[in-house]
Structures are given as C-alpha cells and as structure tokens.
Amino acid sequence: MELRARKLVVTGVLGILGAFAGGIAVAVQPEDSAGPARAASSVAMDDEIPPSAVEDFRYPGADRILAEKGIKLISGDGHILLAECGATADQIKLWSRKGDFCFQAKGSTGQLSLEAPDVWALETSTHPISAELTAEGETQSVDLPQDGYKLVGEGNREAPTTVVEIRVTG
C-alpha cells in the first residue's frame, strides 16, 4: 500500500514538472481492477500563453469608447472614470467640439491619461483638478479649484486643444 502511494506521488510530481517544463500534461488514472495506477498518455496543452497577472493600468474598453465617442482613454489609476454627463453631481466635464465628456472622480486623488481633442472648456464640481493640455506642439498645465470652470484653446480664441491628462488633486 505504501509503495503504491509513493508511486502516485512521484508520478503526479513528474507530471506537474513535465507540464511546466515541456508544455504537456500527464494524467494519473486511479487504480482499477486491472492493476496499479499508471500514467495516461500525454496531451499537448494550448500553445497560448495566459495573460499576465501584472496590472498595466490600461483603461478597460478603450477601443470601443474611441469608436463610439471619439475620445481615447489610455490609462489611469481607476479613480477617474468615464460617466454619463449629468448622471452624478460629482463630475469633471470636458466641453469639446466632438461632444461633451464627463468623468466621475472616485476619490480625493486620481489620474487619467487620455486624448480628448478640440476641448474648449473644463469644469469640475466637488474636486479640484489639474489638466495637461497640448496645442500646436506645446504643453501647458491648467489648475481648476473645486466648482471651477475655465475656457481653454478655442474657448479663448486660441489653437484647438487636446486634453492629455486629468488629475484629481484634492
């Protein structure tokens, strides 16, 4: 009995090592009336590598949002989320020729990298924010206090402006 148990353990360990090293799985069949346990035939595993468990902070559904709304959401910390305008009182709003884009802040700090083109005004309600903007190859930072509103780019009769980052600062 003890020898049989040892064989099962050794066979199982070898099967696991083989699966990790060579990409194959070894199954162990339970003992039946025909004799002791034996290794089943090897089966090739999928050639696909499973996705990494490391967080890359990419915005979920970004390709669909770009196609539907014309705004490119790149990455963030999860504390600034795209929302329906007017859905909550606590919103950050980008006024744009492509449409208005609203975000909900989920905390007192947050960061979102994006590309929102042709923005002409920024508005925030319960949180102060900082936004990075680009226009004609130049980058500038704009700070808005709580309940702030600011004209930018074409709103100030300047070049079209793209918002490339939003940060909740308090």
Side-chain angles (χ1 to χ4, degrees), residues 50-56:
S52 173
V54 176
E55 176 62 62
D56 61 7

Side-chain angles (χ1 to χ4, degrees), residues 36-49:
R38 60 188 182 270
S41 61
S42 299
V43 179
M45 295 180 73
D46 288 339
D47 292 333
E48 254 182 64
I49 297 173

Side-chain angles (χ1 to χ4, degrees), residues 149-165:
Y149 177 85
K150 183 160 184 115
L151 294 173
V152 296
E154 291 176 308
N156 282 330
R157 298 179 190 254
E158 296 173 0
T161 301
T162 299
V163 176
V164 295
E165 184 176 70

Side-chain angles (χ1 to χ4, degrees), residues 27-156:
V28 177
Q29 295 179 345
E31 183 174 341
D32 60 15
S33 60
R38 60 188 182 270
S41 61
S42 299
V43 179
M45 295 180 73
D46 288 339
D47 292 333
E48 254 182 64
I49 297 173
S52 173
V54 176
E55 176 62 62
D56 61 7
F57 299 100
R58 281 189 274 178
Y59 200 94
D63 293 335
R64 178 186 50 79
I65 293 167
L66 177 61
E68 291 175 3
K69 298 187 181 270
I71 183 172
K72 184 176 183 179
L73 304 176
I74 301 168
S75 65
D77 63 6
H79 293 123
I80 302 174
L81 304 174
L82 185 64
E84 291 298 319
C85 291
T88 67
D90 179 21
Q91 289 194 336
I92 299 164
K93 188 171 187 178
L94 308 180
W95 301 78
S96 168
R97 280 192 288 131
K98 295 201 178 264
D100 300 336
F101 305 111
C102 294
F103 300 88
Q104 183 176 13
K106 295 287 192 177
S108 60
T109 62
Q111 181 274 333
L112 177 65
S113 295
L114 69 158
E115 289 178 14
D118 301 323
V119 174
W120 56 269
L122 304 170
E123 181 179 15
T124 184
S125 57
T126 58
H127 294 289
I129 65 166
S130 176
E132 294 291 319
L133 316 171
T134 62
E136 297 181 329
E138 299 289 322
T139 300
Q140 69 173 353
S141 182
V142 174
D143 295 322
L144 274 80
Q146 178 179 339
D147 295 319
Y149 177 85
K150 183 160 184 115
L151 294 173
V152 296
E154 291 176 308
N156 282 330

